[in-house]
C-alpha cells in the first residue's frame, strides 16, 4: 500500500509540473492596461527600447525579463520564431512588443491580489512582475523600482487617464 501511495504521489507531482510547463502564451489584455504596462516598463529601464541584457545575460530588454519569467509566461515569441530555440527567449525579451506580450501573458497566468486590498489592480501586476507570480506578496515600497512606478502612475492619473 505504501509503495502504491508513493507511486501515485510521484505521478501526481509529475503531472502538476508538466501542466505548469504547458502554459501557452496568452497576451490578451485582460485587466492589464497599456498605461499600467507602460509604467512597469518605465520602472524597469525607463522604458529604454534598446536595453540589452544585464547580470550575465540573466535579465534582458525593456522589462528586464529572465528566461524563467519568459517560460512561466508561456514562451511568447517573435513572428516565425520557434519557442524551442534556446535563444528565442532573449530575442523576445529584447523586442518591445514581444516582451510586452510576455508581461501580459505572465499576468494572465498569475494575476491575483498581491497587496491584500481585496482588489486586483496595476499595483498587484507590478508586484507580480517584480516579485514573480509565485511570491508576489513581498512589499516593494521604498524600492527604486516602486518609486519610479508610483511617479509614472501619478503622471498617468494627473493626465486624467486610467492606470
Amino acid at each position: 500500500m505504501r509503495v502504491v501511495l508513493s507511486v501515485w504521489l510521484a505521478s501526481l507531482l509529475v503531472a502538476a509540473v508538466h501542466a505548469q510547463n504547458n502554459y501557452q502564451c496568452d497576451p490578451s489584455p485582460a485587466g492589464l492596461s497599456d498605461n499600467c504596462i507602460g509604467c512597469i516598463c518605465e520602472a524597469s529601464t525607463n522604458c529604454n527600447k534598446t536595453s540589452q541584457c544585464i547580470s550575465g545575460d540573466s535579465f534582458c530588454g525593456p522589462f528586464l525579463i529572465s528566461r524563467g519569467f519568459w517560460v512561466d509566461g508561456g514562451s511568447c515569441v517573435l513572428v516565425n520564431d520557434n519557442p524551442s530555440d534556446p535563444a528565442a527567449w532573449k530575442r523576445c525579451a529584447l523586442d518591445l512588443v514581444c516582451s510586452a506580450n510576455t508581461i501580459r501573458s505572465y499576468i494572465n497566468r498569475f494575476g491575483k491580489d498581491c497587496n491584500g486590498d481585496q482588489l486586483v489592480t496595476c499595483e498587484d501586476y507590478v508586484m507580480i512582475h517584480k516579485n514573480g507570480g509565485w511570491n508576489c506578496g513581498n512589499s516593494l515600497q521604498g524600492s527604486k523600482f516602486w518609486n519610479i512606478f508610483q511617479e509614472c502612475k501619478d503622471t498617468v492619473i494627473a493626465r486624467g487617464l486610467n492606470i
Side-chain angles (χ1 to χ4, degrees), residues 72-155:
D72 285 346
S75 305
C76 300
V77 292
L78 296 168
V79 175
N80 297 321
D81 204 346
N82 178 355
S84 298
D85 183 325
W89 82 270
K90 193 179 292 186
R91 286 190 294 271
C92 178
L94 293 171
D95 178 84
L96 183 63
V97 173
C98 191
S99 60
N101 284 342
T102 298
I103 301 296
R104 288 188 189 285
S105 185
Y106 193 92
I107 294 300
N108 287 339
R109 180 176 184 189
F110 292 103
K112 60 186 166 195
D113 177 21
C114 298
N115 61 7
D117 67 358
Q118 307 304 306
L119 302 169
V120 180
T121 65
C122 185
E123 284 83 359
D124 298 299
Y125 301 146
V126 170
M127 293 173 75
I128 290 166
H129 172 69
K130 189 67 173 169
N131 292 324
W134 305 106
N135 196 22
C136 69
N138 293 336
S139 176
L140 298 174
Q141 290 188 351
S143 69
K144 181 178 178 184
F145 183 90
W146 187 256
N147 292 341
I148 293 171
F149 163 73
Q150 288 294 333
E151 186 177 323
C152 180
K153 177 183 134 184
D154 291 346
T155 300

Side-chain angles (χ1 to χ4, degrees), residues 7-76:
V7 170
W8 180 77
L9 287 174
S11 64
L12 188 62
L13 179 61
V14 168
V17 168
H18 182 70
Q20 289 174 356
N21 291 337
N22 279 338
Y23 180 74
Q24 298 294 310
C25 179
D26 174 17
S28 59
L32 180 60
S33 72
D34 289 341
N35 289 329
C36 180
I37 203 166
C39 286
I40 292 171
C41 189
E42 194 66 30
S44 297
T45 63
N46 293 320
C47 214
N48 182 348
K49 296 176 189 99
T50 61
S51 289
Q52 294 301 304
C53 299
I54 62 169
S55 300
D57 281 0
S58 295
F59 302 95
C60 298
F63 292 94
L64 297 177
I65 292 173
S66 69
R67 186 180 188 288
F69 186 99
W70 176 79
V71 168
D72 285 346
S75 305
C76 300

